[in-house]
Amino acid sequence: DTGVSQDPRHKITKRGQNVTFRCDPISEHNRLYWYRQTLGQGPEFLTYFQNEAQLEKSRLLSDRFSAERPKGSFSTLEIQRTEQGDSAMYLCASSLGTATNEKLFFGSGTQLSVL
Amino acid sequence: AQSVAQPEDQVNVAEGNPLTVKCTYSVSGNPYLFWYVQYPNRGLQFLLKYITGDNLVKGSYGFEAEFNKSQTSFHLKKPSALVSDSALYFCAVRDSGGYNKLIFGAGTRLAVHP
């Protein structure tokens, strides 16, 4: 299976610690998205990359959050000084092409618990 | 602002019966609408999309959705439900700001009983 993979699957951390998540998109996909999903809610957009360029960031993404996609391949999402409100499922998705409205392929997510 | 609403938290259906999962939308301009499904411990999977054209859209696993502009709805349907259809279903609309960013509804849990 060459789908979107995310690592780790689960992360438990103490408040104030830094955490980093990794996403490996489908290899030929040039677009990469990060979403956050809390219990009982749909995914909320966090940020978008086209190749290595970060083209959009949600207002949900405070200055404690940073995302990178070096060389337009894998991506990392770092959260500094974690807070309990950061506890959520962090989803990565990728897609191919320049046309709008193509479907997104999602990874299984990283479940973050901040104690 | 673009938004979607899924008015039902949960839908219960007997196996073999038809199912409907409801979605209404609010957009400026033409809507680009999607349905995704989330199985336990799995990522969201694309089911179908409406961009333009025929109001009845067919998708994966026997699902279809009906676009109704006058009612601003995009309900997901299946003629005969399977127990394996039990999952969390999300309606989404493409944000008019571009980049194919999706705005998701809160989700509807479908439970199909044998």
Side-chain angles (χ1 to χ4, degrees):
Chain A
D1 188 329
T2 56
V4 178
S5 62
Q6 292 188 244
D7 184 69
R9 291 293 304 274
H10 304 274
K11 179 69 177 179
I12 300 174
T13 191
K14 294 182 179 179
R15 187 177 55 185
Q17 297 295 304
N18 299 344
V19 295
T20 300
F21 310 140
R22 177 180 171 121
C23 170
D24 287 274
I26 294 172
S27 60
E28 65 269 25
H29 284 186
N30 59 337
R31 295 182 170 189
L32 187 145
Y33 305 79
W34 284 98
Y35 283 80
R36 180 171 67 187
Q37 184 179 15
T38 53
L39 199 61
Q41 298 298 319
E44 296 175 296
F45 171 80
L46 292 179
T47 191
Y48 161 71
F49 290 85
Q50 182 156 314
N51 300 310
E52 66 276 9
Q54 187 175 21
L55 297 185
E56 188 172 357
K57 291 172 60 174
S58 165
R59 282 172 287 182
L60 292 174
L61 218 62
S62 76
D63 56 6
R64 296 184 298 106
F65 288 71
S66 63
E68 295 182 339
R69 192 183 182 197
K71 303 179 182 177
S73 56
F74 70 93
S75 176
T76 58
L77 177 67
E78 180 183 16
I79 309 174
Q80 296 182 329
R81 305 181 303 280
T82 52
E83 301 173 356
Q84 288 184 328
D86 297 331
S87 296
M89 175 74 81
Y90 289 84
L91 299 170
C92 178
S94 69
S95 67
L96 174 66
T98 57
T100 56
N101 309 310
E102 74 276 21
K103 65 182 181 182
L104 301 186
F105 293 80
F106 282 84
S108 298
T110 294
Q111 182 67 53
L112 173 65
S113 299
V114 181
L115 305 179
Chain B
Q2 321 280 84
S3 66
V4 292
Q6 295 182 244
E8 302 154 318
D9 291 336
Q10 179 151 333
V11 170
N12 296 295
V13 178
E15 187 175 29
N17 282 2
L19 70 86
T20 298
V21 182
K22 295 180 180 177
C23 172
T24 58
Y25 65 88
S26 174
V27 301
S28 54
N30 294 322
Y32 300 124
L33 298 160
F34 302 80
W35 277 101
Y36 281 79
V37 59
Q38 188 174 35
Y39 298 100
N41 300 315
R42 302 276 298 274
L44 280 77
Q45 296 177 33
F46 171 84
L47 279 180
L48 50 80
K49 66 181 180 183
Y50 172 82
I51 306 302
T52 186
D54 194 347
N55 289 344
L56 187 63
V57 179
K58 294 190 182 297
S60 307
Y61 312 122
F63 283 92
E64 56 190 26
E66 186 172 9
F67 172 70
N68 188 315
K69 188 173 183 178
S70 62
Q71 297 186 3
T72 62
S73 67
F74 188 56
H75 301 333
L76 182 69
K77 301 181 179 185
K78 187 173 183 181
S80 178
L82 300 172
V83 172
S84 57
D85 292 330
S86 299
L88 194 53
Y89 290 80
F90 291 98
C91 182
V93 63
R94 185 176 79 85
D95 186 70
S96 59
Y99 301 130
N100 205 33
K101 180 177 69 176
L102 296 181
I103 298 168
F104 286 87
T108 298
R109 185 163 300 281
L110 174 66
V112 182
H113 305 283

